[in-house]
Amino acid sequence: MSSSGGVRVLQRVVLPLEPDQDILPLYVEGRQGQPVVSVGSDGKERTSHSGPAGPQGIEQVLSRRRYQVQPLERTSFGTYFNAFPASYWRRWTVVTSVRLRLTLSGAGSISVYRSNARGNIYRVEGERFGESESTRLTFDLPLTSFADGGWYWFDVVADQQGAVLEEAQWETDSDREIGTVTVGITTLNRPVDVVELLGQLGADDALLSILDQVTVVDQGNQHPEDVEGFEDSEEGLGGRLRMIRQANLGGSGGFSRGMSETLDAGKSTYHLISDDDVRAEPEGILRAVTFADFARRPTIVGGHMFSMYDRSYLHSMGERINQWRFWWGPVLEDTDGHHLNESSLRSTPSLHRRVDVDYNGWWMTLIPTAVIRELGLSLPFFIKWDDAEYGLRARAAGVPTVTLPGVAVWHVPWTDKDDSLDWQSYYHQRNRFASALIHSPFEHGGRLVRESMFHQVKHLLAAQYSVAELRIEALEDLLDGPRHMHEQLDSRLAAIRRTRSEFDDSRVEKEPSAFPVARRSKVSKRGEVVHLPEGRFGTYAMAAMGMLKAVRPVKPLSRTHPESEIAAMDAKWWMLSQFDSAVVSTADGSGAAWYKRKPEAFRDLLQRSILIHERVLREWTTLAQDYKDALPELVGQDAWKRTFERTQQEES
């Protein structure tokens, strides 16, 4: 963002970096019906548009900031990337008013709108243009009416000759200092993704003006430098790229290395954490930095996540933690996301309410370096819960996290995988408990231990014995105390993989013909369809029947032939508990595993599960104090540097 003469650009109106029709609805919306103006009971004017919106063509994008509005058509910039999220600026920053500045050619009219938290739309101002070859318009807009939600945006209506939006931006009067940023990317064997991301970061001159460095922490054996296009991406960054190779210390190890390097460099106001397998909108980084510059207090600024595959699908608007269960979840309840190509921002009331979060996923998160110096680096979690724990740690220190609309990346959504059933189940379990020991406001972590035991029983009833074993080992390590985290950071994964390899449910085959044909010695008259009975009593009854079956001898035929083939979406505990063996698809559809019920394993794992959960409850108070006392050392830069040095020596 630029600053000259006391004017600071807060947000530019931008268009896609690449000619991608799929994401165009995130930038512009067009061919609307005629505006309908009504007056509400409060006497205020509200505007809506009749008829469905028609598609805009990617050929109308003339450049990164220029857009062609066809003759006699209407284009709205009340879209995800180009509307101005006024309520967030009012709540979290010192900005009290904004100025919309536009340059247009051709002829037509401009209408400026705002919304409230309910999604009601109000026409604010309007003006015609076209008396000269190029017209400049400005609209001064207060932020006084956005306590709980609401946006500003504008529409362009072209006359018969058509019109072109040459450029537009939202700005304010300010001499506030402009911050700079270092982007830290952690990667493990995704060299092509990294090269493409680097190319996107170097494609925007405005971003380059505040970009100190891009640090890529490479923890794999497939390196970006060996991929075609790396030299061009490096050149585009103009000497700002630094490549670092280190042992695989997981996401937390890679992100912490990036944070540490930024602290040592002592140049950047902010450090931005980025996944390697994302596609970026560079304007989002500019907006995050600018928002943080104007924040009332040091603030973590996070970005939303769109689906990498369904690119207009807004998958995450931020994350919250249920303190009683101590489990994360989407900030918008009862929703998996929103298709902005099917229902636009303007016509979706739930998107107009300001949404406050507990933390932001580390696919894209901007953290002030002053906050990192105060709070430390990530906990040595390897993966899982590092971002959530950091958000809780920040909140306890009075540092809010804001997930800002218009700041986003495209990322593989977690709905396309289930990492709670693979080697990552160990880290889900241990790190969730460790975070609760440090941050839970409830005695014994609220419902956490009880819920963990319920989940353990479900895995056992489903014959997911490898998952149950890893979850037990996670609690055993947890009980050993916090020192094990740094000590085992680079070695625990190998042991986890060895443990998993001993169990049938972990042995995934890629070929559909890898397993024998499904057969059953006795076929039910009702077929294989199993339904979970409604209500708590029905659930408990089903679980009791599953427990009885789990300890009975298995049918001999089930050892040579699976009894059924079950799709991943149907592989619930109450379904799997009905079979002695079954071939179960993986969540991503890439293969399947042959689950086999084993009464001896069930008994052993159930007994150990009960004992370990009882011990965690018994030692909770002491254990919680141990982890709280160890936190400053665990996240300290000195401890992390020792781990970086030790693992580098071991690797060499």
Side-chain angles (χ1 to χ4, degrees), residues 512 515-516 518 562-567 576 581-585 591-595:
F515 305 105
E563 292 186 329
S564 181
E565 294 183 4
I566 299 177
L576 293 171
S581 72
V583 172
V584 182
S585 302
W594 188 357
Y595 289 18

Side-chain angles (χ1 to χ4, degrees), residues 187-196 222-227:
T187 185
L188 177 70
N189 295 338
R190 294 184 180 271
V192 175
D193 288 327
V194 171
V195 169
E196 185 162 348
Q222 300 172 31
H223 307 300
E225 297 95 322
D226 300 330
V227 172

Side-chain angles (χ1 to χ4, degrees), residues 176-213:
R176 207 169 180 91
E177 184 177 350
I178 299 174
T180 61
V181 63
T182 289
V183 176
I185 302 168
T186 296
T187 185
L188 177 70
N189 295 338
R190 294 184 180 271
V192 175
D193 288 327
V194 171
V195 169
E196 185 162 348
L197 177 57
L198 295 177
Q200 291 175 326
L201 297 178
D204 193 298
D205 290 340
L207 174 57
L208 290 175
S209 70
I210 63 164
L211 182 63
D212 289 323
Q213 187 168 279

